[in-house]
Amino acid sequence: MPVQKVTREEVIQKSLPVFRQRGYYNTSMTDLAEACGLQKGSFYHYFDSKESLMKEVLGAVSSYFENKIFAIAYDESLLPVERLQKVLDKQIRAVTNTKGGCLMGNTAIETALLTDEFKPIMEAFFDGYVKALAAIYSTQFSAQAANQLAQQAAMEFEGALILVKMSGKEQLLHDAAHRIVERLKS
Amino acid sequence: MPVQKVTREEVIQKSLPVFRQRGYYNTSMTDLAEACGLQKGSFYHYFDSKESLMKEVLGAVSSYFENKIFAIAYDESLLPVERLQKVLDKQIRAVTNTKGGCLMGNTAIETALLTDEFKPIMEAFFDGYVKALAAIYSTQFSAQAANQLAQQAAMEFEGALILVKMSGKEQLLHDAAHRIVERLKS
DNA sequence: GTCTATAAAACGATAGAC
DNA sequence: GTCTATCGTTTTATAGAC
């Protein structure tokens, strides 16, 4: 058996920043092959298609956020305001570490009207996000108010990413995070 | 002169919903040709390239918003709260009349990291938007606070469009508009 | 004939798939 | 690497108004 140059997991991890920066449709198999150090034909040994690769990339992002970021919202060893600050801080790091913003938001805008293939995983991601923030807000507000505030936070954060992507002004992200935390205190 | 099937302006107007629904890279000249009732080669009598057509489409959107929607923010025959409600109402109509959300936001996410060609017009659009809302908020707040509130409104609205595009829940847009108006009253 | 909006055909390049 | 399809673009031809 020939040596395996890269694992399936490495292909997913190396494809992620390419999709985030170039978008789904504008990313070619050649782009992905270069990023992974593979011949483009070799991809089909790991994945059925570009679409199924993208699904797994989105799944990896969703798992990461669920386990490493949203989980903080339920950490009862921290005060509510500390949880919220930590979640937002990790989120900002995740989207500013490499360029391209939020893959889920990008992909929603690019594909939501064209294919249903990615919708379940994207909806689950945003649902998990809103539920996590709502859990924090619900320590100070009614369940309904907490849910509204959580939805508002998700919108504000995703919207901020659009303006940041265009203008390069990362400060807008920190401003948004500050407002999201302030609303917990009132 | 042979019969002209479409004017230059009609090509722009008929291309707009195609770009909004399919995105820039995923829209082919064949898609645009079908929408305009032309052969794809015939486009090049009106426009140098797909890119220059897109620039003119973005310019048409920008002009429309500037003249028909943002202008309301400066209409002194209306009370501030009335202006804000009217601006948001027109904006919601503009993005829900046909599917696809906000062409400017979509295009920013899709292209901002890949080409600078569309950035000036997109930045001018968002600048005009924030300035318009800031003019309304400044009747109740300091210039700096008004600008922050206007930026926040732009982010919330664009973020809401992402969630609406994915989930189909148009109510999220109305919820966001309600919050944006409420912040003027406080 | 000359001009011009369109159609039709064909170009090289690159797409996703195998 | 090799396939076929399609991409954005260019060229050629045609039809009708001067």
Side-chain angles (χ1 to χ4, degrees):
Chain A
M1 195 156 60
V3 285
Q4 189 168 9
K5 289 182 69 177
V6 295
T7 66
R8 186 185 165 83
E9 187 55 36
E10 282 171 342
V11 172
I12 292 172
Q13 289 303 324
K14 291 185 174 177
S15 298
L16 163 52
V18 183
F19 279 126
R20 183 162 46 195
Q21 289 177 46
R22 303 191 55 82
Y24 176 67
Y25 293 114
N26 193 49
T27 293
S28 70
M29 297 308 288
T30 304
D31 294 330
L32 296 169
E34 281 175 13
C36 297
L38 288 175
Q39 297 292 327
K40 62 174 175 170
S42 307
F43 266 93
Y44 294 84
H45 171 73
Y46 299 91
F47 305 97
D48 291 342
S49 63
K50 179 182 170 184
E51 185 181 84
S52 72
L53 168 58
M54 183 57 155
K55 275 194 219 176
E56 302 224 30
V57 170
L58 292 173
V61 170
S62 192
S63 293
Y64 177 82
F65 272 78
E66 201 65 60
N67 297 325
K68 304 290 181 185
I69 301 183
F70 301 161
I72 298 165
Y74 307 100
D75 179 356
E76 294 190 0
S77 76
L78 298 172
L79 292 172
V81 66
E82 291 172 335
R83 290 180 226 165
L84 186 52
Q85 274 168 335
K86 199 168 170 186
V87 167
L88 293 170
D89 185 58
K90 286 237 185 190
Q91 226 188 314
I92 289 178
R93 281 178 209 272
V95 297
T96 54
N97 253 350
T98 70
K99 285 182 180 175
C102 171
L103 181 65
M104 293 290 175
N106 299 351
T107 308
I109 282 201
E110 205 184 347
T111 71
L113 263 44
L114 303 174
T115 173
D116 290 341
E117 285 297 321
F118 308 136
K119 284 175 91 167
I121 186 146
M122 293 190 299
E123 294 201 67
F125 172 85
F126 282 108
D127 195 53
Y129 184 22
V130 171
K131 274 194 168 60
L133 294 195
I136 302 175
Y137 279 118
S138 68
T139 60
Q140 310 285 337
F141 299 92
S142 72
Q144 198 197 330
N147 192 66
Q148 264 268 348
L149 285 163
Q151 264 182 356
Q152 181 183 355
M155 292 178 189
E156 213 169 326
F157 200 88
E158 289 293 327
L161 281 171
I162 297 181
L163 298 188
V164 169
K165 194 160 190 173
M166 195 184 55
S167 70
K169 294 174 188 162
E170 281 191 13
Q171 182 59 37
L172 296 175
L173 225 41
H174 297 281
D175 293 347
H178 179 72
R179 289 191 297 265
I180 291 166
V181 172
E182 283 303 307
R183 287 196 286 269
L184 177 65
K185 297 177 180 171
S186 60
Chain B
M1 192 157 51
V3 279
Q4 182 166 324
K5 294 180 73 172
V6 294
T7 66
R8 186 183 163 84
E9 187 55 35
E10 282 170 343
V11 170
I12 293 172
Q13 289 304 325
K14 291 185 172 179
S15 298
L16 163 51
V18 182
F19 279 127
R20 183 162 45 193
Q21 289 178 43
R22 301 192 56 82
Y24 176 66
Y25 293 114
N26 193 49
T27 293
S28 69
M29 295 308 288
T30 304
D31 294 330
L32 296 169
E34 281 174 14
C36 297
L38 289 173
Q39 292 294 321
K40 63 176 177 170
S42 304
F43 268 89
Y44 294 83
H45 271 269
Y46 296 94
F47 305 97
D48 291 342
S49 62
K50 178 183 171 183
E51 184 179 86
S52 73
L53 168 59
M54 183 58 156
K55 276 194 218 175
E56 302 223 32
V57 170
L58 292 173
V61 170
S62 192
S63 293
Y64 177 82
F65 271 80
E66 201 67 60
N67 297 324
K68 304 288 181 184
I69 301 184
F70 301 161
I72 297 166
Y74 307 100
D75 179 356
E76 295 190 358
S77 75
L78 298 173
L79 292 172
V81 66
E82 292 172 335
R83 289 181 228 165
L84 186 52
Q85 274 167 334
K86 200 169 170 185
V87 167
L88 293 171
D89 185 58
K90 287 235 184 191
Q91 227 188 314
I92 288 178
R93 282 177 209 274
V95 297
T96 53
N97 254 349
T98 72
K99 287 182 177 175
C102 172
L103 181 66
M104 293 291 175
N106 298 352
T107 307
I109 282 200
E110 204 184 348
T111 72
L113 261 47
L114 303 173
T115 173
D116 289 342
E117 285 297 320
F118 308 136
K119 283 175 90 167
I121 186 145
M122 294 189 300
E123 294 202 66
F125 171 85
F126 283 107
D127 195 54
Y129 183 23
V130 171
K131 274 194 168 59
L133 294 195
I136 301 176
Y137 280 118
S138 70
T139 61
Q140 310 285 337
F141 298 92
S142 72
Q144 197 196 331
N147 191 65
Q148 264 269 349
L149 286 164
Q151 263 181 359
Q152 182 183 354
M155 291 178 189
E156 213 169 325
F157 200 88
E158 289 292 328
L161 281 171
I162 297 181
L163 298 189
V164 169
K165 194 161 189 172
M166 196 183 55
S167 69
K169 295 175 188 161
E170 282 191 13
Q171 182 59 36
L172 295 174
L173 225 40
H174 296 282
D175 293 347
H178 180 74
R179 290 192 295 266
I180 291 166
V181 172
E182 282 304 307
R183 288 197 285 269
L184 177 64
K185 296 177 179 171
S186 62

